[in-house]
Amino acid sequence: MRPLARIILKMLSRPTMVLVMSGVMVLYTLLYLWLTGDIAGGGAGGWHTTFPAWERAFQSRGPFQFEPVGLISLGALVWTFSPLNTVMAASMGLLVGLNVVAGWWLWRSPRQCGLGGSSTGLLALIPAFLAGGACCAPLILIWLGLPIAGALAGVTPLLVPVALLLLVAGLWFSLQRLAREGGLS
């Protein structure tokens, strides 16, 4: 087995790391779906589901945004369910979660970063949050109605692949550092 895969499996064998990674993944996924409008308020209460349009699953409504195939209503929340949007949000959430866990481990073992101070390993978490926020930050500005949002609206679709690339690169570099120093000892 490859050393990086071994390190990921070792990280995922620790319940605390799985809990942190899962929590970050779920929170990121829900935030992303809320900001893109797939999850919104305005439900009538109760529980209701309907999935009448599976044929639209691959229809694009914009760059990296796909048409919903159904509706899930749970209390005051309404989720216009798009499987591809949900998979994309969860994948990015998983990458953010793995980056946070790898950064957390590097922070707990600052010698692995090659930096002297005990809090300097925390710098490894910054790229994960910046890359994860690359697609959500402009959406937050748009959602809040801030004037700068108009300038960012044109580049927002490009930030999804940039964020994915940055998250994969950040995870790879963090895992390389862990592998170089002997992994999760």
mmCIF file of all heavy atoms in Angstrom, residues 2 7-8 17 22 46 49 62 93 102 106 114 116 136 139 141 156 159 161 163 176:
data_model
loop_
_atom_site.group_PDB
_atom_site.id
_atom_site.type_symbol
_atom_site.label_atom_id
_atom_site.label_comp_id
_atom_site.label_asym_id
_atom_site.label_seq_id
_atom_site.Cartn_x
_atom_site.Cartn_y
_atom_site.Cartn_z
ATOM 1 N N ARG A 2 0.476 2.259 -0.683
ATOM 2 C CA ARG A 2 1.247 3.503 -0.766
ATOM 3 C C ARG A 2 1.316 4.186 0.595
ATOM 4 O O ARG A 2 0.375 4.114 1.386
ATOM 5 C CB ARG A 2 0.608 4.420 -1.776
ATOM 6 C CG ARG A 2 0.692 3.874 -3.166
ATOM 7 C CD ARG A 2 0.319 4.943 -4.108
ATOM 8 N NE ARG A 2 1.188 4.821 -5.265
ATOM 9 C CZ ARG A 2 0.898 5.281 -6.435
ATOM 10 N NH1 ARG A 2 -0.218 5.931 -6.613
ATOM 11 N NH2 ARG A 2 1.713 5.129 -7.438
ATOM 12 N N ILE A 7 -1.205 6.559 5.585
ATOM 13 C CA ILE A 7 -1.384 7.652 6.548
ATOM 14 C C ILE A 7 -2.857 8.025 6.661
ATOM 15 O O ILE A 7 -3.369 8.235 7.762
ATOM 16 C CB ILE A 7 -0.520 8.870 6.156
ATOM 17 C CG1 ILE A 7 0.954 8.524 6.361
ATOM 18 C CG2 ILE A 7 -0.891 10.098 6.957
ATOM 19 C CD1 ILE A 7 1.911 9.567 5.872
ATOM 20 N N ILE A 8 -3.562 8.082 5.532
ATOM 21 C CA ILE A 8 -4.998 8.394 5.575
ATOM 22 C C ILE A 8 -5.740 7.327 6.361
ATOM 23 O O ILE A 8 -6.583 7.634 7.208
ATOM 24 C CB ILE A 8 -5.578 8.557 4.160
ATOM 25 C CG1 ILE A 8 -5.053 9.844 3.523
ATOM 26 C CG2 ILE A 8 -7.103 8.580 4.188
ATOM 27 C CD1 ILE A 8 -5.462 10.052 2.092
ATOM 28 N N MET A 17 -10.335 11.698 15.130
ATOM 29 C CA MET A 17 -10.086 12.269 13.804
ATOM 30 C C MET A 17 -11.265 12.032 12.868
ATOM 31 O O MET A 17 -11.616 12.903 12.080
ATOM 32 C CB MET A 17 -8.797 11.712 13.222
ATOM 33 C CG MET A 17 -7.570 12.194 13.945
ATOM 34 S SD MET A 17 -6.079 11.688 13.080
ATOM 35 C CE MET A 17 -4.852 12.520 14.045
ATOM 36 N N SER A 22 -15.676 14.142 9.948
ATOM 37 C CA SER A 22 -17.101 14.015 9.599
ATOM 38 C C SER A 22 -17.863 15.285 9.942
ATOM 39 O O SER A 22 -18.711 15.730 9.161
ATOM 40 C CB SER A 22 -17.719 12.829 10.343
ATOM 41 O OG SER A 22 -17.067 11.643 10.005
ATOM 42 N N GLY A 46 -43.653 19.713 8.808
ATOM 43 C CA GLY A 46 -43.847 18.301 8.493
ATOM 44 C C GLY A 46 -42.742 17.766 7.605
ATOM 45 O O GLY A 46 -41.725 18.398 7.371
ATOM 46 N N THR A 49 -41.489 14.399 0.726
ATOM 47 C CA THR A 49 -40.494 14.202 -0.325
ATOM 48 C C THR A 49 -41.176 13.891 -1.633
ATOM 49 O O THR A 49 -42.230 13.253 -1.662
ATOM 50 C CB THR A 49 -39.534 13.041 0.004
ATOM 51 O OG1 THR A 49 -40.291 11.842 0.099
ATOM 52 C CG2 THR A 49 -38.768 13.287 1.275
ATOM 53 N N GLY A 62 -25.912 26.180 -14.620
ATOM 54 C CA GLY A 62 -24.808 27.130 -14.584
ATOM 55 C C GLY A 62 -23.527 26.346 -14.397
ATOM 56 O O GLY A 62 -23.556 25.123 -14.242
ATOM 57 N N GLY A 93 -16.429 18.939 1.020
ATOM 58 C CA GLY A 93 -16.456 18.854 2.475
ATOM 59 C C GLY A 93 -15.508 17.793 2.999
ATOM 60 O O GLY A 93 -14.829 17.994 4.007
ATOM 61 N N ALA A 102 -5.464 16.517 8.877
ATOM 62 C CA ALA A 102 -4.016 16.455 8.631
ATOM 63 C C ALA A 102 -3.336 17.678 9.240
ATOM 64 O O ALA A 102 -2.275 17.555 9.867
ATOM 65 C CB ALA A 102 -3.740 16.365 7.129
ATOM 66 N N LEU A 106 -0.551 17.823 12.217
ATOM 67 C CA LEU A 106 0.704 18.560 12.084
ATOM 68 C C LEU A 106 0.860 19.580 13.209
ATOM 69 O O LEU A 106 1.960 19.818 13.693
ATOM 70 C CB LEU A 106 0.775 19.263 10.720
ATOM 71 C CG LEU A 106 1.002 18.343 9.522
ATOM 72 C CD1 LEU A 106 0.780 19.094 8.226
ATOM 73 C CD2 LEU A 106 2.387 17.726 9.566
ATOM 74 N N GLY A 114 8.623 21.292 10.581
ATOM 75 C CA GLY A 114 9.941 21.878 10.480
ATOM 76 C C GLY A 114 9.992 23.268 11.097
ATOM 77 O O GLY A 114 10.906 24.020 10.856
ATOM 78 N N GLY A 116 9.695 25.701 14.689
ATOM 79 C CA GLY A 116 10.072 25.521 16.075
ATOM 80 C C GLY A 116 8.976 25.673 17.102
ATOM 81 O O GLY A 116 8.913 24.918 18.052
ATOM 82 N N CYS A 136 -17.243 29.342 -1.224
ATOM 83 C CA CYS A 136 -18.316 29.802 -0.326
ATOM 84 C C CYS A 136 -18.223 31.286 0.007
ATOM 85 O O CYS A 136 -19.246 31.938 0.185
ATOM 86 C CB CYS A 136 -18.313 28.997 0.963
ATOM 87 S SG CYS A 136 -18.995 27.345 0.767
ATOM 88 N N LEU A 139 -20.107 33.519 -2.295
ATOM 89 C CA LEU A 139 -21.541 33.253 -2.134
ATOM 90 C C LEU A 139 -22.083 33.910 -0.872
ATOM 91 O O LEU A 139 -23.225 34.378 -0.849
ATOM 92 C CB LEU A 139 -21.800 31.747 -2.118
ATOM 93 C CG LEU A 139 -21.516 31.020 -3.424
ATOM 94 C CD1 LEU A 139 -21.619 29.515 -3.238
ATOM 95 C CD2 LEU A 139 -22.438 31.485 -4.514
ATOM 96 N N LEU A 141 -20.925 36.709 0.409
ATOM 97 C CA LEU A 141 -21.049 38.133 0.080
ATOM 98 C C LEU A 141 -22.296 38.407 -0.756
ATOM 99 O O LEU A 141 -22.994 39.396 -0.541
ATOM 100 C CB LEU A 141 -19.799 38.610 -0.663
ATOM 101 C CG LEU A 141 -18.495 38.582 0.134
ATOM 102 C CD1 LEU A 141 -17.322 38.961 -0.754
ATOM 103 C CD2 LEU A 141 -18.583 39.483 1.345
ATOM 104 N N THR A 156 -17.094 33.569 -9.510
ATOM 105 C CA THR A 156 -17.513 32.523 -8.576
ATOM 106 C C THR A 156 -17.524 31.131 -9.214
ATOM 107 O O THR A 156 -17.024 30.179 -8.606
ATOM 108 C CB THR A 156 -18.880 32.860 -7.959
ATOM 109 O OG1 THR A 156 -18.758 34.102 -7.266
ATOM 110 C CG2 THR A 156 -19.333 31.787 -7.001
ATOM 111 N N LEU A 159 -14.191 29.427 -9.204
ATOM 112 C CA LEU A 159 -13.575 29.129 -7.918
ATOM 113 C C LEU A 159 -13.805 27.688 -7.459
ATOM 114 O O LEU A 159 -13.056 27.184 -6.635
ATOM 115 C CB LEU A 159 -14.068 30.112 -6.863
ATOM 116 C CG LEU A 159 -13.641 31.558 -7.099
ATOM 117 C CD1 LEU A 159 -14.221 32.463 -6.028
ATOM 118 C CD2 LEU A 159 -12.136 31.685 -7.149
ATOM 119 N N PRO A 161 -13.484 24.729 -9.295
ATOM 120 C CA PRO A 161 -12.334 23.877 -9.636
ATOM 121 C C PRO A 161 -11.035 24.344 -8.985
ATOM 122 O O PRO A 161 -10.186 23.523 -8.634
ATOM 123 C CB PRO A 161 -12.248 23.956 -11.169
ATOM 124 C CG PRO A 161 -13.071 25.108 -11.570
ATOM 125 C CD PRO A 161 -14.067 25.357 -10.486
ATOM 126 N N ALA A 163 -10.795 25.718 -6.009
ATOM 127 C CA ALA A 163 -10.868 25.234 -4.631
ATOM 128 C C ALA A 163 -10.559 23.742 -4.564
ATOM 129 O O ALA A 163 -9.820 23.299 -3.673
ATOM 130 C CB ALA A 163 -12.242 25.525 -4.042
ATOM 131 N N GLN A 176 2.448 14.416 2.649
ATOM 132 C CA GLN A 176 3.876 14.249 2.367
ATOM 133 C C GLN A 176 4.706 14.577 3.604
ATOM 134 O O GLN A 176 5.658 13.865 3.926
ATOM 135 C CB GLN A 176 4.312 15.160 1.200
ATOM 136 C CG GLN A 176 3.842 14.698 -0.149
ATOM 137 C CD GLN A 176 4.519 13.416 -0.592
ATOM 138 O OE1 GLN A 176 5.669 13.135 -0.259
ATOM 139 N NE2 GLN A 176 3.782 12.610 -1.326
#
